[in-house]
Amino acid sequence: MNPVTIRCVITDDEPLAAKGIMGYAARTGFLEVVAVCEDAVQLNTVLKQQPVDLLLLDIEMPYISGIEFLKNYPQPPKVIFTTAYERYAMQGFELDVLDYLLKPISFERFLKAANKAYDYFAAQQTSVSPYFFIRSDKKLEKVQYQDILFVEALENYVAVYTTDRKILTHATLKSVVEMLPAQQFIQPHKSYVVNIQHIGAIEGNILHVASFQVPMSKYQKEEVLEKIVNNRLLRK
């Protein structure tokens, strides 16, 4: 795999905060800062002028917030929120951001988020088929990764739930997991693997996936929430 260079834009109305993030980015070796903006209006202009992979985006800014900008910009780059306010964490989750950093941001925490971004873009760079085949009832069924809601282990069988059907196959959960893109799926329980894109809500130890409820093991909960959105931001 070729090394990944991530073109990013820092947007923050606090000059010292922007300078600190720029210094952190330079230390990673793979984040290339192509612009620094004071607000979302400047960011909007930059995005129309050059390709950008990642936004390091503050939330509370003049004119328009980072959240409102992200909601209204068509096909925005991936985002890591950098903010002093914890209360926006759930909205960040709903907007599918890569991570959510609370100021003051330590370099250790920033590097963790940056590595998450690196893994995401490295996976995008890798040429992987968007589907695989499952043997069921003496035939092979083609399944698109994006259509999978979750996978459930059932003794000697595995049930693959998709957006339009349920497929039973004689296999182990482990063998199915090995075929799935790791950045897209999580294992919240020893008997389940879930497509992150289809998680609609988290309620206690339950993941709401379309019309289904998938249990989340207390031993896996922290790891699962960390992969979806920074775990400590969701605690009451």
Side-chain angles (χ1 to χ4, degrees):
M1 181 186 299
N2 294 325
V4 175
T5 298
I6 303 170
R7 293 170 56 85
C8 61
V9 174
I10 298 169
T11 304
D12 200 308
D13 61 333
E14 300 176 10
L16 287 178
K19 184 177 180 180
I21 293 171
M22 186 163 54
Y24 282 175
R27 290 171 65 182
T28 67
F30 55 82
L31 292 178
E32 178 187 353
V33 178
V34 298
V36 178
C37 302
E38 294 181 358
D39 52 52
V41 177
Q42 290 185 8
L43 174 60
N44 187 69
T45 301
V46 168
L47 292 180
K48 295 183 185 313
Q49 294 174 341
Q50 59 184 310
V52 174
D53 302 312
L54 177 68
L55 304 182
L56 296 163
L57 184 61
D58 192 14
I59 291 180
E60 292 206 352
M61 298 182 292
Y63 309 118
I64 181 172
S65 72
I67 285 178
E68 289 304 317
F69 177 82
L70 189 56
K71 284 181 178 179
N72 292 286
Y73 194 89
Q75 297 183 324
K78 298 302 291 184
V79 171
I80 294 175
F81 275 136
T82 59
T83 179
Y85 301 96
E86 183 173 334
R87 62 180 177 269
Y88 299 113
M90 184 55 71
Q91 287 176 273
F93 161 64
E94 292 170 350
L95 291 169
D96 195 29
V97 301
L98 287 176
D99 212 334
Y100 189 104
L101 302 181
L102 269 182
K103 299 175 182 176
I105 304 167
S106 68
F107 178 69
E108 178 184 11
R109 184 65 183 88
F110 180 89
L111 184 61
K112 184 175 183 178
N115 283 334
K116 187 181 296 185
Y118 186 96
D119 291 344
Y120 172 83
F121 287 106
Q124 298 299 306
Q125 186 184 86
T126 304
S127 178
V128 178
S129 297
Y131 60 86
F132 69 121
F133 285 90
I134 296 176
R135 185 178 296 279
S136 179
D137 293 332
K138 298 181 180 180
K139 64 180 178 181
L140 293 175
E141 294 200 41
K142 183 178 181 180
V143 180
Q144 300 281 345
Y145 293 130
Q146 64 183 13
D147 293 338
I148 297 174
L149 298 175
F150 64 94
V151 182
E152 180 183 10
L154 300 169
E155 295 186 355
N156 297 325
Y157 289 84
V158 167
V160 178
Y161 292 78
T162 74
T163 53
D164 61 359
R165 66 196 192 277
K166 173 184 174 182
I167 306 170
L168 278 176
T169 183
H170 187 72
T172 63
L173 186 63
K174 181 180 178 182
S175 66
V176 176
V177 169
E178 289 174 350
M179 300 182 70
L180 301 175
Q183 77 280 2
Q184 189 176 340
F185 290 83
I186 56 173
Q187 186 165 3
H189 186 280
K190 65 179 182 180
S191 299
Y192 293 88
V193 175
V194 179
N195 188 338
I196 294 173
Q197 295 177 354
H198 290 290
I199 297 174
I202 303 170
E203 184 178 6
N205 291 325
I206 297 295
L207 299 177
H208 292 266
V209 184
S211 61
F212 300 93
Q213 294 185 1
V214 176
M216 181 164 46
S217 164
K218 64 180 181 179
Y219 303 108
Q220 296 291 105
K221 185 172 183 178
E222 185 172 349
E223 181 180 344
V224 169
L225 293 180
E226 178 65 29
K227 190 165 184 179
I228 298 172
V229 67
N230 184 8
N231 181 35
R232 66 190 177 91
L233 297 176
L234 293 179
R235 292 175 182 164
K236 293 182 179 179

